[in-house]
Amino acid sequence: MLPDILESAFTMGEIEQRPSPGSRLGAPENSGISTLEHGQKPPPTPSGKLMSIKIQMLDDTQEAFEVPQRAPGKVLLDAVCNHLNLVEGDYFGLEFPDHKKITVWLDLLKPIVKQIRRPKHVVVKFVVKFFPPDHTQLQEELTRYLFALQVKQDLAQGRLTCNDTSAALLISHIVQSEIGDFDEASDREHLAKNKYIPQQDALEDKIVEFHHNHIGQTPAESDFQLLEIARRLEMYGIRLHPAKDREGTKINLAVANTGILVFQGFTKINAFNWAKVRKLSFKRKRFLIKLRPDANSSYQDTLEFLMASRDFCKSFWKICVEHHAFFRLFEEPKPKPKPVLFSRGSSFRFSGRTQKQVLDYVKEGGHKKVQFERKHSKIQSIRSLAAQPTEPNSEVPKQAQQSASLPPREGAEPAGGPQEEEPSAPAEEPRRSPAPPQSPAGGGKADGAARAAADEEEEVVTDRTQQSKAQPPQPSTGSLTGSPHLSELSINSQGGAVPASVILSPNLSPDTKQASPLVSPLLNDQACPRTDDEEEGRRKRFPTDKAYFIAKEVSTTERTYLKDLEVITSWFQSAVSKEDAMPEALKSLIFSNFEPLHKFHTSFLKETEQRLALWEGRSNAHIRGDYQRIGDVLLKNIQGMKQLAVHLWKHSEALEALETGIRGSRRLENLCRDFELQKVCYLPLNTFLLRPLHRLVHYKRLLERLCKHHPPHHADFRDCRAALAEITELVVQLHGTMIKMENFQKLHELKKDLIGIDNLVIPGREFIRLGSLSKLSGKGLQQRMFFLFNDVLLYTSRGLTASNQFKVHGQLPLYGMIIEESEDEWGVPHCLTLRGQRQSVVVAASSRSEMEKWVEDIQMAIDLAEKSSGPTPEFLASSPPDNKSPDEATVADQESEDDLSASRTSLERQAPPRGNTTVHVCWHRNTSVSVVDFSVAVENQLSGNLLRKFKNSNGWQKLWVVFTNFCLFFYKSHQDNHPLASLPLLGYSLTIPSESEDIHKDYVFKLHFKSHVYYFRAESEYTFERWMEVIRSATSSTSRAHVLGHRESHGY
């Protein structure tokens, strides 16, 4: 019986059958009625003598509250929350110095009089206790305001440490919320009177400079931006508890939503995620963390830390227990039955609502929206800037439903056996809280965290979805100009203004003008569960016209295009400025021709989104239908693009000059190679240089769809047709340049993937097809990568180099080559014999269709070679032809597809350098792509929100998805600078789910390759058809006859 008595009160999955202690959430008065358990009677309020307690609020004001002496701590916290009209009060707590001068949290279950011995001499502080991983989980403006005040306090007290740039940026948002728009004299006067951080004077100029970028930003938006920046800092929400490790080294312990952290000074040196922790306990002044058995060992590891005293140790243990329960449990833990004979250890348990319960309650909207006063601001805020009865909580994208849930572990059992420990908290994982995403400005730590998050995403996403089945994305109905989630740093909005680069990274120029947060509400879909009734209501409220969704596609793809421009104008330019590796002439050629385009398209995107907002009915204009069109906006801006044609003509020159510079300078080559390894450069660098030319084709395709959709008498038809004529003229002018530059770029990319070859890029050489074929040798069929050009066919094997390049084994000149089908001769399916003038090889394709594609392309290449002047000279200067006997087999020959299975089986795994290119995907998927496929892929680019579901998960996760280069790239939101994960589509099959798969939702398509299955859900019939169209272009090759005509007529 002793082990049962010693076991903690936090057994997962049990729910206490009594009124939940969260009556403050939205209750009109402090009646103690739980809003989660309807129909239960309130607990009796303790009678007796009242005691007055002084509470210091986060805005530094003090309030006195009268509560019964015998009342539990919950009564006092409820009184404070009701006084503030605070709905999300469970994130906050009351802390005070106990009789030993140790700062402790007020226990909500114990009588106040037993905790606060001398209330007249104690000031209790109302502060933030639980910091969620993502501030978008805070649904109320008042809650975010209080969190912003906490950040302000922590900055001033030196607890929130950061670099000077981040500190200045944080303070600039505080200043914006307090005094409004930028005025240099007012700014400097305000900063002289208010000290937000020690040594503030040294940062004054930088604060003023940053504040200038926030013009037009409301206090609510400033709070939102402040929290967005703060949450990325390592010390955000951290309270350090001094301790020593077993060696006696001084360290600090802290607890966060993710688990227990270990710091040395202000530097995090270790972290123990809740998923790894089996039990927390303390014995006297020793704090013990029992970890789950490691996969590679058979023992349990227990870590021990020594704290100053038992009281310090117990205080830290209690806050760890509370953090675990708040962020990981579904319900408040049930109290442990009192032992019959004796008790050993603490009976402490978490009391209050878990984060999930708070999110569920606020989502249901059982509370009124009220005004509140900002003490330090000139502007009075309204809790909900625009609330509608059908969607009462639309202020912030509801990332919370995606933010953390893990079902109870099967077979998880509490620790048993007699123990000499004080009470412990088993940490079985009913919920998982993901680590907050990091910004590029965070340096190496941020990259590591993001990489780790990416590696685990498939598992985490599956876990999260157990919490609730997410329905399609829900549109915001908040005010266009007031709701902070419309601003540039919203984590989960789909649309919005172009990010102010200074906010996203100190590396970006602070001179960049911040665009207005006025955006389309429908582009700011919230990632939260939605019932089918809500889905039906949304469809009735928002436009269903196909033209609207085409216009929305203009906006979503423009977002991605602008991000791609920023790779050059901000990220690459920043990298170049730090190294003296690029000649000034080349810098000027590249950046002076990209910056005007970035400025123009920033304005274009803003104008497009404003039109979408009007189209959706945000003013009376929609009654007249004046704004339910996009042709006039496109015509105006395409005419403006023609004025920038001089810059477009320069892109081919810039690409050639960059490659020439790389060839002549090792330093520049290293600079570009290192930049391509950054996550922000998610495509080859030279691809970004061609993006402006590709974008012209996108506009042409979109306008063709609009003109086809509108009847000639439609009000928008004339503008659309005029815009189509303008963009077609521009595409025709640049047609030859685009074809030439795409081939040039592709040859240079292939050069990086190949070793043992010189002079691959020569005038007149054109790429035709690459892919995997099996070559017949003495040891049977061995996988080889073949590269077909208009004059030669190369065959290679994947080498064992660190960069995973392909080693060239030989070349087959096409002049005089003959193709013979030889299945019968060799007894191998889909077999061909390629007879050259000096050498013959026997190859086999993976399928009949693959064989036909190769035959068609090789025959065409032979015909081209026959029409040329004659045989092509040798160009494999570094590698002789493959003259090995069939009995010889290299290590590379024997490699199997399983060697790098991660490249094809994991969405999130970060591949090594050159490990995830199209060439490598073709190798692992045993398929091929042609120049035709690349050309079709250029025009079939698409961006937007999709809901994703794994085969074995129950819920849907909302992601911002970009399709380009035969690949889906997944982002948490459109504002992220780099993708969290990617899914190469070559080799995948695209289908519609069958009835047996139990996917009873509209607009769902399925991607599967071998055992890997993913479901994706679009928001409308049009977007569903568009995603199907573009993905089909990557999963099935187009016939050459079709595309040759396609290229001649459209330039591609």
Side-chain angles (χ1 to χ4, degrees), residues 750-769:
L750 293 178
K751 181 180 173 184
K752 297 176 186 176
D753 279 316
L754 298 174
I755 55 174
I757 181 171
D758 290 336
N759 303 322
L760 179 64
V761 185
I762 60 174
R765 174 162 292 134
E766 294 181 12
F767 163 75
I768 297 177
R769 179 176 288 275

Side-chain angles (χ1 to χ4, degrees), residues 1023-1038:
T1023 52
F1024 168 76
E1025 290 173 350
R1026 282 291 292 140
W1027 281 107
M1028 291 282 286
E1029 177 186 349
V1030 299
I1031 292 175
R1032 190 177 288 116
S1033 72
T1035 56
S1036 59
S1037 298
T1038 314

Side-chain angles (χ1 to χ4, degrees), residues 746-804:
K746 188 52 59 186
L747 290 177
H748 276 280
E749 270 311 292
L750 293 178
K751 181 180 173 184
K752 297 176 186 176
D753 279 316
L754 298 174
I755 55 174
I757 181 171
D758 290 336
N759 303 322
L760 179 64
V761 185
I762 60 174
R765 174 162 292 134
E766 294 181 12
F767 163 75
I768 297 177
R769 179 176 288 275
L770 65 86
S772 172
L773 293 171
S774 296
K775 179 174 174 286
L776 189 63
S777 69
K779 290 202 171 184
L781 293 172
Q782 296 179 329
Q783 187 179 9
R784 293 284 186 266
M785 275 298 290
F786 281 74
F787 298 84
L788 176 64
F789 303 93
N790 62 339
D791 57 348
V792 70
L793 176 66
L794 304 181
Y795 58 95
T796 70
S797 65
R798 191 174 70 84
L800 295 178
T801 63
S803 56
N804 289 329

Side-chain angles (χ1 to χ4, degrees), residues 82-87 140-142 367-373 380-385 395:
N82 287 336
H83 171 76
L84 294 172
N85 289 308
L86 178 60
V87 174
E140 288 280 298
E141 182 185 327
L142 172 58
H367 56 275
K368 295 181 180 179
K369 308 294 182 178
V370 296
Q371 291 185 342
F372 67 90
E373 180 183 357
Q380 187 179 33
S381 291
I382 300 175
R383 176 75 62 87
S384 175
L385 295 159
E395 298 168 43

Side-chain angles (χ1 to χ4, degrees), residues 71 147 245 358 406 562 656 663 666 712 770 789 925:
F147 266 72
D245 63 14
V358 177
L406 180 68
L562 207 55
E656 290 177 335
R663 197 162 55 245
R666 180 61 59 87
L770 65 86
F789 303 93
R925 303 273 169 83

